[in-house]
Amino acid sequence: MNSKQVRISTGYVFMAVFAIFIGLYPLRFIGLDYNDGLLGSKSSALLDSWFYLIAFYTHIFLGGLALISGFSQFFKKLRMKRLGLHRALGKVYIISVICSGIAGLCIAFFAEGGFITSLGFGILAILWLFTTIKAYTSIKNKDIENHQHWMIRSYALCFAAVTLRIYMPIFLGGLAMDFIPAYKIIAWLCWIPNLLVAEFMIRIPK
């Protein structure tokens, strides 16, 4: 294994660790009071809305499932040796993304920080749905190369759940920013660089 392969393998391992850790994070909300965690800053009127609560929990739990089921798709040996498992996990990922993405688009309208934050998260949800559907239609058309490219883009957007949680302590603790200004920036920063990295991965010579 050459140095390039070592770097790529190491990167995938770190991606898997973060994906599993953040993917399992929503489990902490089971039985948690609404005044704690992400819902603590929401108005009582919003917390009384079953539509919002269903969308919120659908987004975080199925988003976590998408993170966990999606990272395995990047391991070539799994794709080659366990094609059936690869396809099964792919179906889990696509269904999870569609449900989580639609729910995420709904709750984006109520994001802290107003229009700028809502727009950032809303575009993220739309692009996540779009790239995932393109990945699905590509493989249905037996276009494997395009399927792989769209999956890279889709998972880069899915990984925004991880990068958001990396940026938050940096902005709030390291840069000592107030929450709302930081959140407005992170609503865009959590996914735009990810997508740029995805495009770089797609275009570099194999």
Side-chain angles (χ1 to χ4, degrees), residues 41-62:
S41 60
K42 303 301 181 184
S43 67
S44 57
L46 198 58
L47 295 179
D48 286 337
S49 168
W50 281 104
F51 173 80
Y52 177 82
L53 291 176
I54 289 172
F56 173 81
Y57 286 115
T58 297
H59 176 62
I60 64 170
F61 280 107
L62 291 186

Side-chain angles (χ1 to χ4, degrees), residues 14-16 18-19 67 154-164 190 194:
F14 275 104
M15 179 183 73
F18 277 112
L67 264 178
S154 172
Y155 197 73
L157 294 168
C158 183
F159 212 70
V162 174
T163 49
L164 181 147
C190 69
N194 294 17

Side-chain angles (χ1 to χ4, degrees), residues 42 59 100-129 157 160-161 163-165 168 179 182-191:
K42 303 301 181 184
H59 176 62
S100 180
I102 292 172
L105 182 59
C106 292
I107 66 174
F109 291 97
F110 306 97
E112 299 292 324
F115 177 74
I116 294 175
T117 310
S118 294
L119 187 62
F121 287 132
I123 292 175
L124 167 59
I126 291 169
L127 290 177
W128 193 26
L129 289 165
L157 294 168
T163 49
L164 181 147
R165 287 165 176 82
M168 285 301 288
F179 175 78
Y183 206 48
K184 288 180 179 180
I185 297 171
I186 294 171
W188 298 85
L189 189 64
C190 69
W191 61 270

